[in-house]
Amino acid sequence: MAKALIFDFDGTILDTETPWYEAFRELYAEHNVELTLEQYSQCIGTSLHLFNPYEYLITDCGITIDRDAFRARVHEKHAELMRNELVRPGVVSFLDSAKAAGLRIGLASSSKLDWVTRHLDRLGLASYFECIRTADHVTHVKPDPSLYLQAISELGIEAADAIAIEDSPNGAKAALAAGLHCVVLPNKITKLLDFGTITKHGQSLEDISFEHLIRDPSGFLARAAV
């Protein structure tokens, strides 16, 4: 029987990732550069260490642009696209069910704290989470397990008693490395990524039985048999 749910944020609670990719891809096209999903996937669910979409046009393509102006336009386009995004299906129902069942509820995100809390407040979801761990709290973000290890420590539970809800390969790898069970529910963009041996469980939390998951989390294997 599970004792806690720990949610990822970007792409899991709210699909911020597809609008980011679409915003960057549109602005890259203005410079006749194609931004492939393979390139962009290197920064989904993790830091910009392997691929920095704000710098790529300058550092790799040799295109002279104003960094600040480019960043501002990306954020403006992202904000425009985000106006059409809603909380992913099944999230609120799962949060309500977890709260009613007395489960501990946490959040572990590779994004900055102010980004996460701003959206949680806007969506009216902040009160569900008793523990929030973000890039501000760790040296290394996902796929490093530190975020999840900090979350279970703060919640006072063992890893085997917690279930992570994730949407990306990097997030799932972090949860598994920390010893958590993990339910993987890709969004429109992450479903196209290479999950390797990691099992995907559906399109949203609407595809998952809360009671079944909590009663037998081991039945939702996050890693397929090799």
Side-chain angles (χ1 to χ4, degrees), residues 70-87:
F70 180 73
R71 178 179 291 270
R73 288 195 63 204
V74 169
H75 282 248
E76 181 182 353
K77 184 62 181 179
H78 181 262
E80 175 188 329
L81 294 170
M82 280 299 298
R83 285 196 281 270
N84 298 319
E85 293 295 331
L86 303 174
V87 177

Side-chain angles (χ1 to χ4, degrees), residues 110-125:
S110 292
S111 293
K112 291 288 189 178
L113 180 63
D114 62 347
W115 167 265
V116 173
T117 55
R118 185 193 330 152
H119 283 291
L120 290 178
D121 288 339
R122 178 178 64 83
L123 299 168
L125 301 178

Side-chain angles (χ1 to χ4, degrees), residues 9-225:
F9 179 71
D10 289 282
T12 297
I13 291 177
L14 184 68
D15 185 5
T16 60
E17 293 169 344
T18 301
W20 277 126
Y21 177 56
E22 291 176 351
F24 278 113
R25 187 171 60 174
E26 180 175 318
L27 293 181
Y28 272 47
E30 293 181 2
H31 299 279
N32 297 313
V33 175
E34 179 186 5
L35 176 61
T36 68
L37 181 57
E38 181 180 5
Q39 289 173 306
Y40 188 72
S41 67
Q42 296 177 79
C43 64
I44 293 178
T46 186
S47 68
L48 303 183
H49 177 67
L50 291 178
F51 179 74
N52 188 328
Y54 293 103
E55 296 289 330
Y56 180 77
L57 291 178
I58 300 171
T59 59
D60 290 65
C61 300
I63 298 173
T64 302
I65 59 173
D66 184 307
R67 283 181 169 87
D68 293 337
F70 180 73
R71 178 179 291 270
R73 288 195 63 204
V74 169
H75 282 248
E76 181 182 353
K77 184 62 181 179
H78 181 262
E80 175 188 329
L81 294 170
M82 280 299 298
R83 285 196 281 270
N84 298 319
E85 293 295 331
L86 303 174
V87 177
R88 289 192 67 194
V91 169
V92 174
S93 175
F94 249 68
L95 288 170
D96 284 335
S97 295
K99 189 173 182 179
L103 269 64
R104 313 296 298 274
I105 306 175
L107 187 148
S109 170
S110 292
S111 293
K112 291 288 189 178
L113 180 63
D114 62 347
W115 167 265
V116 173
T117 55
R118 185 193 330 152
H119 283 291
L120 290 178
D121 288 339
R122 178 178 64 83
L123 299 168
L125 301 178
S127 62
Y128 285 102
F129 300 97
E130 48 185 309
C131 167
I132 296 177
R133 287 294 176 269
T134 68
D136 299 81
H137 301 105
V138 296
T139 302
H140 302 290
V141 295
K142 303 170 186 176
D144 187 277
S146 297
L147 284 164
Y148 279 111
L149 292 173
Q150 283 198 16
I152 60 174
S153 176
E154 178 69 17
L155 293 172
I157 57 172
E158 298 295 324
D161 294 326
I163 302 169
I165 311 295
E166 278 285 354
D167 74 294
S168 72
N170 282 321
K173 289 174 184 176
L176 293 169
L180 281 70
H181 301 281
C182 186
V183 172
V184 181
L185 302 159
N187 56 52
K188 289 182 291 185
I189 200 77
T190 59
K191 71 180 182 181
L192 303 175
L193 303 182
D194 181 9
F195 281 79
T197 60
I198 297 172
T199 301
K200 293 174 280 188
H201 294 96
Q203 298 185 30
S204 74
L205 281 171
E206 288 186 331
D207 296 330
I208 303 294
S209 164
F210 175 82
E211 291 77 14
H212 183 190
L213 174 63
I214 301 308
R215 184 173 61 253
D216 182 23
S218 63
F220 290 79
L221 297 177
R223 190 173 296 278

